[in-house]
Amino acid sequence: MTSLSTSPSGTLVPSAQPFLRLEHYTFGVGDRFAHQAKAQLRAFTLAAKDGVEIIPVWNKSNREHMIVGSKPDSVRGAAEVAIRDLGWKKPFHVDADHITQETVGGFLESSDYYTIDVAAAIGKPAADEKVSAFLDRHPELFQRIDLPGQDPLTISRADATQTARKYLFAAQEAGRIYRHIANAKDKGSFVTEVSMDETDNPQTPGELLVILAALADEGIPLQTIAPKFTGRFNKGVDYVGNLAQFETEFRSDLAIIAHVVKTYGLPVELKLSVHSGSDKFSIYPAIYRALRDTGAGVHVKTAGTTWLEELIGLAEAGGDSLALAKEIYAEAYAHREELSAPYAAVIDIDVAKLPSPEQVKKWSPEQYVNALRHDQKCKEFNPSLRQLLHVGYKIAAKMGNRYLDMLETCEESISRNVTTNLYERHVRPIFLGK
Ligand SMILES: [Zn+2]
């Protein structure tokens, strides 16, 4: 046991703890069936040609592993093959996404990036004396706080008490999980993220400040924090919410991060992590502007958007692979309730808008692709169908080799779609502003 495990709360300077430094711009990609790492990596080689260094992070949550029936070390395996084949000389990471104390074990060997999920602990009240000890330790929270480019922030002790009641226990839980990982791994061999995105209410910038002070007290060398932002971040479809409010909040959060790095000794690498970041096309210009104006880094996490490109590639190739894509839709349609259940909070499927499997059976490759591809200008684009298929990867997983073999047969059309989707629709607007 190291001293880490025995001296929690307030005595450790987070950035003085050993940690693996995370790069400025990082991008999380998910690869449900471990066949697209190369096509994904190509998007970052294209970005490098544009002069932007973006470091890939392959992420897969325990939930995805359970549904697909894969093991955590397969993610690193697939990434390493892609790195070798494309001659990628820069770093890459493997993210144990949304892990908890119960699920982290399987990821200790193969991951170098841990997204500690404490959503389940939010709202569990910390003991009253811990809340008041925390607030007594942080009188600076109640003074006027000047933030670069923002109106000054003032937090009352009453507000901070409320926030601490809601989040202090969760921050302490993050500390426990962090120390568990640190004790199991080599010194300085991993990145720590804390996620609070899978919860009911967005955190205000003031709440984020209190949360980060509490995480700093735990001595966590935190490099990314995933708050829940205002608006809806549904899987596979665009952002729904007030764009101006999002931009204001995103910029305030960046200012809070700059402030806590100075005030609490958190690593200078600390940055925001945007979860369910794929397909949120309407907020990308705001993110691009905020990064450009402040020089802040960012982590954008995506996952299922690649699996949908596999389906698009299968449909585009026609014949047997189109038939397989239709079969997957028919099965997903039949099992729509059970497939949607684990994702209920992050999808919005209008069942009335779903075409029947009989209709889909008659579709041409073009009709299938147009309904599924995330092109909002296309009249045939169907967000309900897209979201159903987004959560429908379990159907393909059950097909086993029949599905995997078809991925190999249609490698050309699939990898072309995977790369184009990441590079044109995600990387360029977020990091290049076009
Ligand atoms: Zn998340």
Side-chain angles (χ1 to χ4, degrees):
M1 299 281 266
T2 66
S3 61
L4 268 180
S5 61
T6 52
S7 56
S9 285
T11 55
L12 298 165
V13 177
S15 58
Q17 306 308 311
F19 61 91
L20 178 67
R21 281 180 198 284
L22 187 61
E23 296 75 17
H24 197 62
Y25 291 151
T26 47
F27 196 97
V29 287
D31 188 6
R32 308 265 201 239
F33 299 102
H35 272 59
Q36 308 309 331
K38 217 199 293 193
Q40 293 172 325
L41 186 56
R42 254 186 226 114
F44 308 109
T45 62
L46 290 170
K49 284 194 191 127
D50 293 325
V52 191
E53 182 180 282
I54 304 167
I55 299 302
V57 179
W58 275 275
N59 49 249
K60 201 164 185 176
S61 64
N62 194 59
R63 177 170 66 190
E64 286 175 79
H65 280 297
M66 300 292 281
I67 290 175
V68 173
S70 54
K71 291 269 175 289
D73 56 356
S74 62
V75 179
R76 176 168 292 276
E80 279 173 350
V81 171
I83 297 297
R84 188 194 61 209
D85 287 359
L86 290 188
W88 179 258
K89 298 279 183 277
K90 292 171 199 154
F92 71 97
H93 303 289
V94 178
D95 176 4
D97 198 13
H98 283 287
I99 51 94
T100 61
Q101 184 77 43
E102 288 69 46
T103 56
V104 69
F107 295 85
L108 289 173
E109 185 80 25
S110 57
S111 284
D112 65 348
Y113 186 128
Y114 292 84
T115 299
I116 299 175
D117 185 336
V118 290
I122 295 172
K124 286 194 186 162
D128 280 349
E129 61 272 20
K130 291 210 166 156
V131 170
S132 37
F134 168 75
L135 297 172
D136 291 346
R137 205 156 55 233
H138 291 290
E140 78 289 350
L141 284 172
F142 319 118
Q143 285 152 16
R144 176 189 136 127
I145 298 162
D146 289 308
L147 298 169
Q150 301 282 316
D151 291 337
L153 185 68
T154 36
I155 305 175
S156 67
R157 181 146 176 142
D159 284 348
T161 304
Q162 231 177 27
T163 308
R165 282 212 181 109
K166 188 166 176 197
Y167 290 101
L168 187 62
F169 180 80
Q172 290 167 344
E173 176 70 8
R176 281 187 283 275
I177 300 172
Y178 162 71
R179 289 187 288 279
H180 176 76
I181 301 166
N183 280 330
K185 293 192 68 82
D186 290 342
K187 258 191 177 26
S189 65
F190 67 96
V191 171
T192 305
E193 167 164 332
V194 169
S195 68
M196 300 193 165
D197 62 308
E198 296 195 354
T199 180
D200 296 340
N201 295 309
Q203 293 100 20
T204 65
E207 286 174 325
L208 185 63
L209 172 58
V210 174
I211 291 165
L212 287 166
L215 291 170
D217 273 3
E218 291 294 315
I220 304 171
L222 187 71
Q223 294 188 79
T224 50
I225 176 88
K228 183 177 173 74
F229 296 105
T230 187
R232 277 187 76 80
F233 284 70
N234 282 346
K235 300 281 179 188
V237 290
D238 203 349
Y239 175 79
V240 181
N242 182 326
L243 292 178
Q245 192 188 342
F246 172 82
E247 184 161 6
T248 304
E249 184 188 279
F250 191 84
R251 284 174 183 260
S252 304
D253 288 352
L254 292 180
I256 295 287
I257 284 180
H259 174 75
V260 297
V261 166
K262 275 194 307 194
T263 310
Y264 301 111
L266 284 158
V268 292
E269 288 79 5
L270 180 61
K271 57 185 181 173
L272 288 173
S273 175
V274 182
H275 281 214
S276 297
S278 70
D279 301 286
K280 302 299 171 288
F281 304 146
S282 59
I283 56 170
Y284 294 166
I287 295 176
Y288 170 74
R289 285 191 295 270
L291 301 181
R292 181 198 59 194
D293 295 349
T294 61
V298 76
H299 182 60
V300 178
K301 199 174 288 204
T302 76
T305 197
T306 284
W307 132 256
L308 291 176
E309 296 305 320
E310 285 182 342
L311 282 179
I312 287 170
L314 291 176
E316 222 179 67
D320 289 348
S321 59
L322 173 64
L324 190 77
K326 291 175 177 177
E327 189 183 326
I328 290 171
Y329 178 75
E331 281 294 302
Y333 184 87
H335 298 278
R336 55 188 181 272
E337 274 160 31
E338 64 175 272
L339 292 171
S340 302
Y343 292 95
V346 284
I347 50 175
D348 247 332
I349 295 173
D350 181 350
V351 177
K353 299 240 165 76
L354 291 172
S356 72
E358 294 71 40
Q359 280 172 284
V360 172
K361 211 165 181 188
K362 296 187 204 114
W363 280 358
S364 66
E366 215 181 15
Q367 282 174 294
Y368 196 110
V369 170
N370 286 349
L372 178 54
R373 183 178 279 148
H374 199 174
D375 175 1
Q376 293 169 83
K377 285 189 213 103
C378 175
K379 279 203 189 81
E380 291 164 65
F381 171 57
N382 184 330
S384 289
L385 170 137
R386 183 173 166 88
Q387 289 179 89
L388 175 60
L389 285 170
H390 192 287
V391 299
Y393 61 98
K394 192 178 187 174
I395 306 293
K398 276 199 186 142
M399 288 176 165
N401 283 337
R402 203 153 72 86
Y403 179 73
L404 299 179
D405 290 349
M406 202 60 98
L407 291 183
E408 273 153 43
T409 308
C410 301
E411 210 258 299
E412 187 282 322
S413 60
I414 291 173
S415 62
R416 176 165 38 78
N417 279 294
V418 168
T419 305
T420 303
N421 173 49
L422 288 177
Y423 177 65
E424 297 288 345
R425 293 198 276 275
H426 294 85
V427 165
R428 282 174 60 90
I430 296 170
F431 298 99
L432 292 157
K434 52 196 174 190

